[in-house]
Amino acid sequence: PGQEKNSNVDGDEKRIKIDHKREQERARKRSREATMKNRSVPPLRPGVVDQLAAEFPHIEFVKNGGIQTFSDVCDIAQSVGSDCSSGGVVGSMVGRAAINHPCAFAAADKLWEEKEEGDSDGNSHRHRRPTRGEVLQDYIDYCNREEERVRALGASQQSIKVLRSRLVAVPFHLFMGEDGNDAFQRRMRKLTTKTVSLSASSILAGSALFVPAETLNKCVDDFVPLEDIPIFDGFRRSSAMQRMIF
């Protein structure tokens, strides 16, 4: 009888733990849904910014919200003109659109007309755009340096694990819309569960093995428009490593 009683107690404890985990997941789901809903409440009114800029020309305004493409940014930049020191609309801010498809905004530096040092004839040349593979390799080198820096400060193993998870999330959308993107993202998700034993650079280098050479050698400002990329309206997660940030 005593053994049967203990068995019943163990079963009750397991059920309580399972119910608690289920309730935690329901709470997270409700929180995600509320966050996405709040982004459209109240509705975006971009014209109000122009009205405020016209009414208060001595104040600088930055447009934000609903800016989905680099063309939208260019339109705002052209409307600003060359002299925005006196106020008005002076620029724009992009959030989720740049996270979801960073290469679509890779040419943003041309808005500032960044040029290399001119040659002997006074001609200037724009910086060469890197390939996706070069960007990833530079970032892998940065991850190595950052881990070494944090480890030298005496960080705990748990802190290193958290750091690695944050580091690998940054280039998650680097190959958005390109061949090999799905395999790259799936491999990253799988390897990220092993951040105790694998460094961030190892996770990224291992995931890059699933990306074709044609994609790695593609210039960063040569991209597939976001509207042409399939979007799956399944269960929307809130982590950084998801196909689309909603």
Side-chain angles (χ1 to χ4, degrees), residues 61-107:
F61 292 88
V62 176
K63 286 191 173 182
N64 181 29
I67 301 174
Q68 298 295 326
T69 67
F70 183 59
S71 297
D72 296 338
V73 177
C74 290
D75 292 341
I76 295 173
Q78 290 175 1
S79 66
V80 170
S82 58
D83 182 16
C84 59
S85 58
S86 59
V89 177
V90 298
S92 61
M93 184 185 303
V94 183
R96 292 188 301 277
I99 295 175
N100 288 331
H101 200 358
C103 288
F105 295 86

Side-chain angles (χ1 to χ4, degrees), residues 151-166:
R151 190 178 289 107
L153 295 175
S156 65
Q157 187 61 40
Q158 178 61 27
S159 297
I160 296 295
K161 179 182 177 181
V162 172
L163 172 66
R164 289 171 176 171
S165 298
R166 292 175 177 174

Side-chain angles (χ1 to χ4, degrees), residues 13 29 34 37 58 66 74 91 103 123 134 149 164 171 175 182 187 190-191 225 236 243:
E13 290 178 351
K29 184 178 180 181
K37 182 178 180 181
H58 59 287
C74 290
C103 288
N123 298 320
E134 290 172 340
R149 183 187 69 83
R164 289 171 176 171
F175 304 105
D182 292 347
R187 193 63 178 175
K190 183 176 182 179
L191 294 178
R236 299 179 177 182
R243 184 174 177 86

Side-chain angles (χ1 to χ4, degrees), residues 34-165:
T35 298
M36 289 183 285
K37 182 178 180 181
N38 287 341
R39 286 173 179 156
S40 60
V41 180
L44 293 175
R45 296 183 295 169
V48 172
V49 179
D50 295 319
Q51 296 175 12
L52 289 171
E55 187 171 351
F56 303 97
H58 59 287
I59 299 177
E60 294 183 350
F61 292 88
V62 176
K63 286 191 173 182
N64 181 29
I67 301 174
Q68 298 295 326
T69 67
F70 183 59
S71 297
D72 296 338
V73 177
C74 290
D75 292 341
I76 295 173
Q78 290 175 1
S79 66
V80 170
S82 58
D83 182 16
C84 59
S85 58
S86 59
V89 177
V90 298
S92 61
M93 184 185 303
V94 183
R96 292 188 301 277
I99 295 175
N100 288 331
H101 200 358
C103 288
F105 295 86
D109 58 347
K110 76 176 185 180
L111 296 175
W112 290 272
E113 297 184 348
E114 292 183 353
K115 299 180 179 180
E116 294 182 351
E117 192 174 324
D119 56 26
S120 57
D121 296 327
N123 298 320
S124 59
H125 308 279
R126 291 189 180 278
H127 293 288
R128 183 185 71 85
R129 305 287 184 195
T131 66
R132 286 167 170 79
E134 290 172 340
V135 170
L136 184 60
Q137 185 56 55
D138 286 345
Y139 186 72
I140 287 174
D141 295 339
Y142 165 78
C143 289
N144 283 327
R145 294 194 302 270
E146 187 65 9
E147 282 198 36
E148 292 176 1
R149 183 187 69 83
V150 174
R151 190 178 289 107
L153 295 175
S156 65
Q157 187 61 40
Q158 178 61 27
S159 297
I160 296 295
K161 179 182 177 181
V162 172
L163 172 66
R164 289 171 176 171
S165 298

Side-chain angles (χ1 to χ4, degrees), residues 3-16:
Q3 185 176 2
E4 182 180 352
K5 182 178 180 180
N6 290 335
S7 177
N8 291 335
V9 171
D10 292 341
D12 291 340
E13 290 178 351
K14 289 181 180 179
R15 282 193 292 272
I16 292 174

